[in-house]
Amino acid sequence: MRSIWKGAISFGLVTIPVKVYSATEQRDISFHQVHRKDAGRVKYRRVCTVCGEELAYSDIAKGYELPGGEIVVLTDEDFADLPLRTNRNIEVLQFTPLEQVDPIYFNKSYYLEPDAAGTKPYVLLRDALEQSGQVAVVKVALRQRESLAALRVRDGVFLLETMLWPDEIREPAFPFLDEDVEVRPQELTMATSLIETMAGDFDPTQYKDAYREALQAVIEAKVEGKEVAAPAAPEEEPAAADLLSALRASVEAAKKSRAEGAGDDGKPGAAKSGRRRPSAKGRPGEQGEEEVPEKAPAKKPAAKAKTRKSA
């Protein structure tokens, strides 16, 4: 991984120099725009709409459009003069339980690595934060944008989760919220039963991106000159007569699926991965752990072509 930012965690009077790395990457298959006839790459020119001159990147500034259509031009010097305290600083504002932070606020994740001189205070803050079971609410500026962020511990490393500001969260103003929708007790009971039947520990490795795999297969078939065979359409289940019938059928299907995937002891979900997971204390970073039974290793997915992350 390549560091994208250098700065320091400011924790009271303690300063911990760190490097920041992107913790996630999109695995989308990237494409170029090409001429359908001869596969030539399509390029775009940067042309001024006023004078018609083709521009280099060094000629381009940022423009803010006013309600009347006038443009205010901002240069790099204008941004450099802004009073941004968190330009190279991750400022700890407070500590709070993770469950109090709605996941809708989370934007992007970054790993923090300590510089050699900051290893001991980094480990000290990491262990103290992990022991407390809380997360640090911080303020940081990345790529000329100041954000709130949550600082928590994952796999022994600080994870910085940048957050949206409250005024960036849209209100769900949908008409059905004002309607008086009646739910029968039997329907609620059956829906609850369905949830309980399908409940289990979250293991993201059991899921896969079927669309990306199918798209990769299409590309490989094109390369090898093969005919691309469309997958057979799944059989449609007959429509249920009413909501309660649909819920009852869903519960039965979920029970059947869970029974088919049960372990040797016949209990649903008996075949679990051999990892350790948090105890009933619940939050990331707490010390309590319990063993999870072993299961046979999952089959390795088909090899995928390397993709390049888009800018």
Side-chain angles (χ1 to χ4, degrees):
M1 291 189 292
R2 186 166 60 107
S3 172
I4 64 168
W5 188 88
K6 288 185 179 181
I9 301 173
S10 176
F11 173 47
L13 298 178
V14 178
T15 299
I16 308 172
V18 293
K19 298 176 184 177
V20 176
Y21 301 82
S22 292
T24 60
E25 59 181 337
Q26 293 293 112
R27 293 283 184 156
D28 292 338
I29 296 176
S30 59
F31 296 97
H32 296 298
Q33 288 189 324
V34 298
H35 187 187
R36 186 188 298 272
K37 180 179 179 180
D38 55 19
R41 290 280 300 275
V42 177
K43 295 185 177 181
Y44 294 90
R45 298 167 55 206
R46 298 174 296 277
V47 178
C48 175
T49 57
V50 175
C51 65
E53 181 182 349
E54 186 172 354
L55 306 177
Y57 277 114
S58 58
D59 299 322
I60 299 176
K62 290 182 171 64
Y64 179 82
E65 185 173 356
L66 299 175
E70 302 92 341
I71 300 294
V72 176
V73 178
L74 298 175
T75 65
D76 292 340
E77 291 74 18
D78 295 320
F79 288 101
D81 292 338
L82 289 175
L84 200 59
R85 289 179 53 195
T86 54
N87 191 34
R88 289 293 171 188
N89 193 36
I90 301 172
E91 181 184 359
V92 177
L93 305 176
Q94 72 173 84
F95 296 91
T96 191
L98 178 60
E99 62 265 24
Q100 291 185 8
V101 184
D102 192 323
I104 195 173
Y105 285 98
F106 292 143
N107 189 20
K108 188 168 175 55
S109 304
Y110 299 91
Y111 288 129
L112 303 186
E113 178 194 26
D115 278 354
T119 301
K120 184 173 181 178
Y122 180 102
V123 172
L124 174 63
L125 178 58
R126 179 201 67 186
D127 292 350
L129 188 61
E130 194 169 28
Q131 198 170 59
S132 74
Q134 302 200 49
V135 297
V137 178
V138 304
K139 189 182 284 187
V140 62
L142 294 172
R143 297 189 172 96
Q144 295 183 332
R145 189 183 194 277
E146 189 172 59
S147 302
L148 279 177
L151 191 64
R152 64 185 181 90
V153 181
R154 185 179 189 274
D155 295 334
V157 177
F158 273 131
L159 188 69
L160 183 74
E161 305 264 14
T162 57
M163 300 164 61
L164 301 172
W165 294 101
D167 61 358
E168 295 177 314
I169 306 298
R170 294 177 175 176
E171 290 292 331
F174 300 116
F176 83 93
L177 293 173
D178 298 324
E179 298 176 4
D180 186 15
V181 181
E182 182 181 358
V183 176
R184 293 186 292 167
Q186 305 97 306
E187 295 168 339
L188 184 59
T189 299
M190 195 59 65
T192 303
S193 177
L194 176 58
I195 292 173
E196 292 172 350
T197 303
M198 298 178 66
D201 294 328
F202 177 59
D203 178 10
T205 61
Q206 66 181 308
Y207 306 106
K208 64 179 182 179
D209 187 347
Y211 176 83
R212 176 158 54 97
E213 290 185 358
L215 182 56
Q216 186 64 51
V218 170
I219 294 172
E220 292 172 358
K222 286 272 190 177
V223 171
E224 297 174 7
K226 295 179 180 178
E227 288 292 331
V228 180
E235 295 183 6
E236 292 188 5
E237 295 290 337
D242 52 41
L243 178 58
L244 187 59
S245 299
L247 289 168
R248 185 177 291 111
S250 298
V251 170
E252 293 303 318
K255 288 180 178 178
K256 180 179 178 181
S257 176
R258 182 62 64 90
E260 291 174 351
D264 295 336
D265 60 358
K267 295 180 181 179
K272 299 287 184 182
S273 64
R275 69 195 188 285
R276 299 180 70 87
R277 61 177 169 81
S279 70
K281 292 180 180 179
R283 293 190 300 269
E286 292 186 329
Q287 301 299 312
E289 290 185 335
E290 62 185 43
E291 284 287 350
V292 182
E294 296 284 336
K295 72 174 181 180
K299 294 182 180 179
K300 294 183 178 180
K304 305 178 182 64
K306 292 183 178 180
T307 61
R308 185 177 65 185
K309 186 178 178 182
S310 60

